[in-house]
Structure formats: C-alpha cells, structure tokens
Amino acid sequence: MNGYNSDGKAPNVSREELERQKVFINKIKDLNDEFEKENNRKKTMFISTFGCQMNAHDSEKIDGMLKQMGFVDADCEKNADFIIYNTCCVRENAENKVYGNLGYLKHAKASNPFMKIALCGCMMQENDVVETIRKKYRHVDIVFGTFNLYKLPELIFTNIETDGPVFDIWKEHGEIVEDLPSIRKYKFKSSVNIMFGCDNFCSYCIVPYVRGRERSRSSFDILNEIRALVKDGVREVTLLGQNVNSYGKNLDENINFAKLLRMVNNIDGIERIRFMTSHPKDLSDELISVMAECDRVCGHIHLPFQSGSDRILEKMNRKYTKEKYLELVSKIKEKIPNIAITTDIIVGFPGETANDVDETIDVIEKVKFNGAFTFIYSKRTGTPAAAMENQIPEDDVKKQFNRVINALNPVVYEKNKSHIGKVYKVLAEDVSGSDERFITGRLEDNSLVHFEADKGVIGNIAEVEIIDCKTFYLIGKSV
Ligand code: SAH
Ligand code: SF4
Ligand code: F3S
C-alpha cells in the first residue's frame, strides 16, 4: 500500500538493529543539544498512553529512547515539543479519544513552531485509521505501529531530514528486539513482556490483528531481564502476555508458563510475582500447583470469563463453557484457598438476550469475584463478530449492563469487607490522587488500599490494618 514499507513486511531485526538505532539517537541528541544552546532550554516531550499494560510498558520504552535523545518531560501536553500518543483500538471509545485530542492539538501546534506529533500503537495497525490520519490530520508528523517501536529514533531523524510526514507500518512482526532502553514509571515494580501477540481470535477482539501472531521470548532473556531489574531495586514484577498460559509454544526450549513461573520464583531478591492475562482454556493443573507452592507468586489471578452463556461463549470462540469455567475456579480455590479472582465481562455481544445475561450474573454470584472490568461490546471492523447479525444498539445494552454492574458491586464489596480487621503486607506505590495524606498500595492479592502514612513509605512494604472499605478500594492504617 502506498507509503507503507514497499511489501508491507517486516525486515528481520535483531540486537544489531539496536546498535543502528543508537546512531540515530546520538544524532538527535546532538541536534537537541544545539537547540538548547540556541534557545536556552531543552526540548520537551509528552507521552499519552491508552489501553492495556502492554501499551503502558511500551511507553516506558518510548520514554527511555526519547530521554536518551535529550528530551525532558514537559509540564503539560500543549507545551511539549514532541508529543506521542501510544494508542489502543480494543473499543471504539479509546479511538474516539485519540481523534478528539488530535483535533485539539492542531491549535496547540499552530502556536509552537517546534512541535512534532507522533502516533503509534494498536490503532495504527488499522488501515482505515492510517488513511484517516493521512487525509484529515495532516498536522501529524510520524506514524508507526506495534511491530517497529524500536525504530522510533530513525523515524524521528527521517522526519527532521525530510521535513515531511513519516509513515512506517508493518503488517507483521519481525524478530523480537531485546534490550531497548526503558524508563520505569516506578522504581520498585516493573512489567516484563514474556510474549507478544495473540493467536486466539476471540470473535469480538481486534488484538490478534493489530498485535500479530503469538511469539514468546526465551526464558534466558526473560530471567536475565528480571535479575537486572531486581539489582536495580525492583521488588515486584508482572509478567505480561495476552495469554500467558500458552507461553513457550513457539520456542525450541522445553518450557511452559508454569515452569517459567517457577524459575522466576527462584530469582534471589524478587518479592512479588504477578502475571496477566490467563485464558481459561489453557490454564493447566501444573500452573495451579506452581502458584500454590511458590511463595513469591501473588495469590491473585485475572481470569476473564466474558460471558456466562454457553451460546454466547461459543459465538465468541472462547473454547470453554460456563460449567468448565466454574470447575476451573473451584479447582483453583481448592488448591489456593485465599486466592483473589478478578475477571473481564462483555455485555451486549451480538444476539445476547436477557437470558444470556442471567447466566453471566449467575457466574458472578457463584465465583464471587474480587473485582471485574465490565465492558459494553464494541463492534470492531474486520472481526468475525462485526459481521454477525443482531448487533444490539448501545442504548439497548445499557439496561443489561446495569444489571451486571448491580450484581457485581455487592459481590466485590463483600469481598473487600472480608479484609476488615486483618493486617496485610502492602506495597506502597503512590500518594493517593484524591487525598495527599493517604498512600495508595496493593495487597498481595492485588486489592487496592488507601492508608494514612508518610510519603517515605513509597516503594516499601508496609504493615497495614484494614479498617474500612468501599466497593473499589480498602481503607487502612499503618501498624
Ligand atoms: N488477552 C486478554 C484480554 C485483552 S483485551 C484476555 O483474553 O483475557 C481486554 C478485555 O477487553 C477483554 O478481556 C475483553 O473483555 C475486552 N474486549 C476485547 N474486545 C472487546 C470488544 N470488541 N468490545 C468490548 N470489550 C472488548
Ligand atoms: Fe483478544 Fe481473545 Fe486474544 Fe484476549 S485471548 S487478546 S480477548 S483474542
Ligand atoms: Fe492493549 Fe488496546 Fe492494544 S488493549 S493490546 S493497547 S488494542
């Protein structure tokens, strides 16, 4: 397609490619140093991240590269010289936000002659999005996708040299590029990619189309990365993949997710290990045993069930039934009694009836989730579900959506209430957004807690007594 890489395919890339990008990083750094001399200030940057933890983690890599180029954080978006949106397309509202913001940026750019705007991430893997950007958002300077993030330095340099827009989107992945510089949002915790892409093709979901085929990193690279993180002060890692339970399938080594988890658990100095996401169809008995045995693996599992109706699950291509899901949950609870289970739910899938939603509510009541993300189905062009009959208008979904929320909230509240009066170890993460006197942290089971404490506790594990709770968080005091 016009303007894409000539054949739309990814060249093979490797660690050497990273060396090539370093040359561009240095060239841009020199230009930014010159800019500083002439203007008495450094060039500034602003990253906006949409979507999941995968994107958040990619943004840390973008941050790492931009800082190496000499950019510093801007105080706000409109004052930045380099603005980058790392986008998500899993639901339409995430896309609309990006378009809305871009419209507003047009005015901001008119008043800052140095401003450059870049777009990347999942939305950019959709042809119609890229065409819309080309035609209607001509103030965008750089566009790239999910497979060539590591090329950002080269793309920035090409944009400077040619003084014209640069579009570089690949249709498929190349080799995994290791060792990208990255700046962690938190010093004491970090995400670690263990695999990329997804092969499950749930019928509603666009992720397999924009993140490509499933591929795992070698255990050698993963373990080395985690050892280095631990040396650098990291206490908690979250192993990331769209479906961690199928980790290792494309590797030559004899490994699976349960074995990897055990290896991570053996790393000296690591304190908490989390992972996401688990697809119920691939969750093995071995994994449940490893979770039960390994003391550093947190007692929490995010296990999306999406719908409780077998009819809908089949149309979703989820490959399990309500009964299978409930059996799995019972098995997990039996082996790991205090496990916290969270989930994702979709309401309003094509053809879903009130009876189907009754089944979803039944699962909520039987499992008693500690938390759930509930989504209104969003039609994604190109997915099988988008072509199904009986698409339900969003307004009609609201009533069923509210039924699900009304069933869920008391269940989650009861779970939270069961923590009251007990003392837990809490990793203190941040000052609370709503009240500066409070610190926000997480229990080992991933429950969120706000507790009154000094800022100095951030990054440490505190002993906290839970004294009260709301639906979405606990309230505690240091002991
Ligand atoms: N790989 C993960 C989830 C990735 S997307 C998994 O399979 O569990 C996160 C969540 O977004 C999904 O679990 C699903 O609940 C929701 N989702 C995905 N596509 C959607 C769509 N088209 N409309 C509404 N919600 C969607
Ligand atoms: Fe999407 Fe299903 Fe893959 Fe999750 S497992 S990313 S919901 S296709
Ligand atoms: Fe994540 Fe959204 Fe992409 S959920 S994988 S950022 S489409």
Side-chain angles (χ1 to χ4, degrees):
M1 191 184 287
N2 189 18
Y4 291 96
N5 260 20
S6 55
D7 57 359
K9 282 191 175 173
N12 271 351
V13 286
S14 63
R15 287 175 211 258
E16 289 94 68
E17 177 61 32
L18 212 55
E19 292 303 313
R20 217 172 73 77
Q21 294 303 322
K22 276 197 188 138
V23 176
F24 294 109
I25 288 182
N26 292 336
K27 284 182 180 174
I28 299 164
K29 171 94 174 60
D30 289 345
L31 291 172
N32 282 350
D33 288 348
E34 260 171 52
F35 175 91
E36 187 182 356
K37 270 190 216 135
E38 282 166 21
N39 297 278
N40 253 329
R41 68 173 185 87
K42 287 187 189 295
K43 272 210 173 165
T44 57
M45 54 172 265
F46 195 92
I47 307 173
S48 279
T49 309
F50 301 81
C52 64
Q53 288 198 31
M54 206 75 79
N55 258 18
H57 193 43
D58 282 349
S59 286
E60 294 184 335
K61 297 174 190 171
I62 294 170
D63 196 14
M65 290 189 274
L66 290 173
K67 296 271 162 67
Q68 284 194 343
M69 294 175 215
F71 289 96
V72 294
D73 288 321
D75 55 351
C76 68
E77 183 181 87
K78 70 176 188 348
N79 292 339
D81 301 305
F82 190 86
I83 296 173
I84 181 160
Y85 284 2
N86 190 7
T87 62
C88 169
C89 57
V90 79
R91 284 169 292 275
E92 195 181 3
N93 50 9
E95 296 199 341
N96 289 343
K97 248 191 218 158
V98 169
Y99 286 130
N101 285 10
L102 276 181
Y104 152 86
L105 275 188
K106 191 167 181 181
H107 304 290
K109 191 170 180 177
S111 57
N112 177 1
F114 303 113
M115 185 185 284
K116 296 277 186 192
I117 300 170
L119 302 176
C120 67
C122 296
M123 247 176 109
M124 302 306 130
Q125 293 296 141
E126 296 179 285
N127 290 345
D128 55 336
V129 168
V130 176
E131 287 313 306
T132 306
I133 303 286
R134 272 182 202 286
K135 288 196 191 117
K136 296 198 184 149
Y137 298 87
R138 291 171 182 264
H139 55 298
V140 172
D141 300 282
I142 298 169
V143 176
F144 59 100
T146 56
F147 302 123
N148 54 346
L149 177 84
Y150 71 91
K151 266 184 82 180
L152 176 62
E154 182 175 352
L155 301 181
I156 295 180
F157 191 74
T158 309
N159 172 257
I160 296 169
E161 281 226 304
T162 60
D163 199 24
V166 176
F167 284 69
D168 189 6
I169 292 119
W170 298 354
K171 295 288 168 223
E172 57 183 61
H173 64 86
E175 270 178 43
I176 294 171
V177 178
E178 294 290 345
D179 301 330
L180 281 184
S182 122
I183 294 190
R184 295 197 305 277
K185 186 166 173 215
Y186 297 98
K187 195 131 184 52
F188 49 88
K189 66 170 191 173
S190 180
S191 298
V192 174
N193 292 116
I194 63 166
M195 59 203 295
F196 301 95
C198 179
D199 284 351
N200 288 318
F201 291 96
C202 301
S203 65
Y204 49 83
C205 182
I206 200 163
V207 171
Y209 305 89
V210 296
R211 286 272 172 178
R213 297 290 56 73
E214 193 176 283
R215 54 222 184 267
S216 300
R217 289 175 70 198
S218 74
S219 62
F220 178 84
D221 285 330
I222 295 169
L223 296 172
N224 272 348
E225 178 175 343
I226 298 175
R227 282 190 203 102
L229 287 169
V230 169
K231 245 192 204 156
D232 199 36
V234 164
R235 309 174 135 212
E236 175 182 298
V237 290
T238 303
L239 310 178
L240 287 186
Q242 293 299 349
N243 176 17
V244 292
N245 297 332
S246 61
Y247 170 79
K249 279 190 179 157
N250 66 321
L251 292 174
D252 292 334
E253 42 180 326
N254 173 24
I255 193 150
N256 59 25
F257 183 57
K259 292 194 174 74
L260 179 77
L261 204 54
R262 204 186 279 285
M263 286 154 115
V264 176
N265 192 68
N266 288 337
I267 292 177
D268 278 343
I270 189 82
E271 289 175 66
R272 284 181 170 188
I273 305 161
R274 302 186 184 282
F275 57 87
M276 70 184 306
T277 299
S278 272
H279 193 304
K281 80 178 163 67
D282 298 313
L283 197 144
S284 66
D285 289 353
E286 187 186 3
L287 177 64
I288 301 175
S289 306
V290 169
M291 284 187 76
E293 286 161 27
C294 293
D295 55 334
R296 291 144 163 190
V297 176
C298 290
H300 167 229
I301 188 157
H302 187 65
L303 197 63
F305 79 100
Q306 315 296 2
S307 165
S309 154
D310 289 347
R311 202 173 68 82
I312 298 293
L313 283 171
E314 167 131 34
K315 286 215 247 168
M316 285 179 162
N317 192 31
R318 288 292 288 182
K319 303 203 167 75
Y320 54 84
T321 58
K322 175 184 171 192
E323 197 189 338
K324 274 264 149 54
Y325 184 85
L326 291 175
E327 272 171 27
L328 186 59
V329 166
S330 303
K331 202 154 56 172
I332 296 171
K333 283 185 175 170
E334 195 185 302
K335 289 259 177 68
I336 316 165
N338 287 326
I339 187 107
I341 303 180
T342 55
T343 199
D344 292 347
I345 300 167
I346 297 178
V347 187
F349 186 85
E352 189 178 58
T353 63
N355 287 346
D356 294 314
V357 175
D358 290 345
E359 299 290 329
T360 297
I361 290 172
D362 191 42
V363 174
I364 292 171
E365 284 169 353
K366 290 205 163 100
V367 176
K368 304 203 184 313
F369 292 102
N370 294 67
F373 295 111
T374 312
F375 305 109
I376 289 184
Y377 166 76
S378 172
K379 183 176 164 180
R380 306 283 63 210
T381 308
T383 61
M388 288 179 188
E389 284 173 7
N390 303 322
Q391 303 280 331
I392 308 172
E394 197 169 317
D395 277 349
D396 296 353
V397 177
K398 292 259 163 71
K399 196 172 141 212
Q400 300 303 328
F401 183 79
N402 290 337
R403 284 183 63 214
V404 171
I405 296 290
N406 289 338
L408 189 64
N409 285 351
V411 165
V412 173
Y413 181 71
E414 279 306 310
K415 277 280 173 190
N416 275 346
K417 235 170 88 181
S418 69
H419 289 99
I420 294 178
K422 299 181 186 148
V423 175
Y424 295 93
K425 287 194 176 1
V426 171
L427 179 55
E429 298 190 345
D430 237 326
V431 176
S432 158
S434 50
D435 187 338
E436 288 241 324
R437 289 167 306 157
F438 281 81
I439 298 293
T440 296
R442 293 214 178 245
L443 272 54
E444 195 232 275
D445 77 359
N446 210 37
S447 301
L448 192 69
V449 56
H450 298 300
F451 61 105
E452 222 170 317
D454 187 82
K455 279 184 193 145
V457 73
I458 292 174
N460 294 315
I461 298 207
E463 297 268 330
V464 175
E465 182 187 341
I466 307 304
I467 53 173
D468 199 359
C469 75
K470 301 274 190 260
T471 306
F472 299 110
Y473 61 90
L474 308 170
I475 300 164
K477 61 169 194 208
S478 300
V479 291

